[in-house]
Every structure is written in structure tokens, then in C-alpha cells.
Amino acid sequence: MNDQRNPAERNVWEEGYRKMVIENAVIAVAPDHAPAFEQAVGECVEIFRAADGCLGMALDRIVDQPGRYRLLIKWESKAHHAPQFWESPGFRQWRTHVAHFFLETPMLEYNEPVENYF
């Protein structure tokens, strides 16, 4: 692909977007517990903000499946999430706040950005 951006833009693009790993967790909770789950996740933002290598997080509600969510957490590398975050006190705090909402073990995948078209 012929990159038409100026060198400064390319540097930001390559060092930011393309080098991160996105943790993609699908989480199922009881629909009647959804508001409390959303609140609990919001209360954990500072845990992730303080985690080494965490670049951001978002929680999306899956529209056609009540009680299902997609949690997207941006990490500098997969190792920043596992094992580093998993072995931290922050992970234990996170699990204490939210694990009791889970109907099943969340499905976890890691995405590596390829291109952001628009």
C-alpha cells in the first residue's frame, strides 16, 4: 500500500495503532444484572489505567443479545495482559468486582490491528 501520509503521521500510526494488541473478551451476564455489571466495570477503569502497558479500554453492549458484552482492552503487547496483568493485584481487584456477574467463562481473543480504513 502506498502510504500518502507525511512522515510524522506515519510514525504516529505505526508506533501507536499497529503495534498494540487488543484483548477482546465476550462476557455473558444475566440481563437483569446488566446495569450493575456496567457500573462495576466503570468502577474498575482506574485499575486498568494504572496497569503497565494498558493503553485504553471500552465496553460494548451486544445489541441483539441481552446480557452479552464485548470488553476491548488495548495493550502494548499480549505479555502486558498475560501474564503481567493476570499476576498483578489489579487483576485480583478486577475479578473481585466483576467475576460474580459472569454466567460463563468469558471468551477471550487477542486482535492485532492490520489497518484502520476510516
Side-chain angles (χ1 to χ4, degrees):
M1 179 173 150
N2 186 8
D3 196 336
Q4 300 297 317
R5 292 168 291 183
N6 72 48
E9 290 173 329
R10 282 196 304 273
N11 189 38
V12 169
W13 179 263
E14 291 164 4
E15 289 182 18
Y17 184 75
R18 287 189 180 166
K19 291 188 179 181
M20 78 172 82
V21 170
I22 302 170
E23 171 193 354
N24 180 345
V26 176
I27 300 170
V29 304
D32 57 328
H33 293 156
F37 170 71
E38 292 174 17
Q39 180 177 343
V41 172
E43 291 169 357
C44 292
V45 169
E46 292 307 315
I47 293 169
F48 288 93
R49 191 182 310 275
D52 187 39
C54 187
L55 304 172
M57 67 182 290
L59 180 67
D60 296 334
R61 191 178 305 114
I62 298 175
V63 174
D64 296 327
Q65 299 177 42
R68 290 186 69 84
Y69 292 86
R70 187 171 314 277
L71 177 66
L72 302 168
I73 303 178
K74 298 174 184 175
W75 298 96
E76 289 179 24
S77 69
K78 184 177 175 184
H80 279 96
H81 179 237
Q84 189 170 339
F85 181 66
W86 280 2
E87 295 174 354
S88 73
F91 180 73
R92 289 186 289 282
Q93 291 173 324
W94 158 250
R95 293 295 287 200
T96 297
H97 273 82
V98 300
H100 61 280
F101 290 106
F102 299 168
L103 292 178
E104 58 196 34
T105 300
M107 185 188 79
L108 181 64
E109 297 179 326
Y110 295 94
N111 304 327
E112 182 177 64
V114 174
E115 189 67 73
N116 189 10
Y117 296 102
F118 68 96

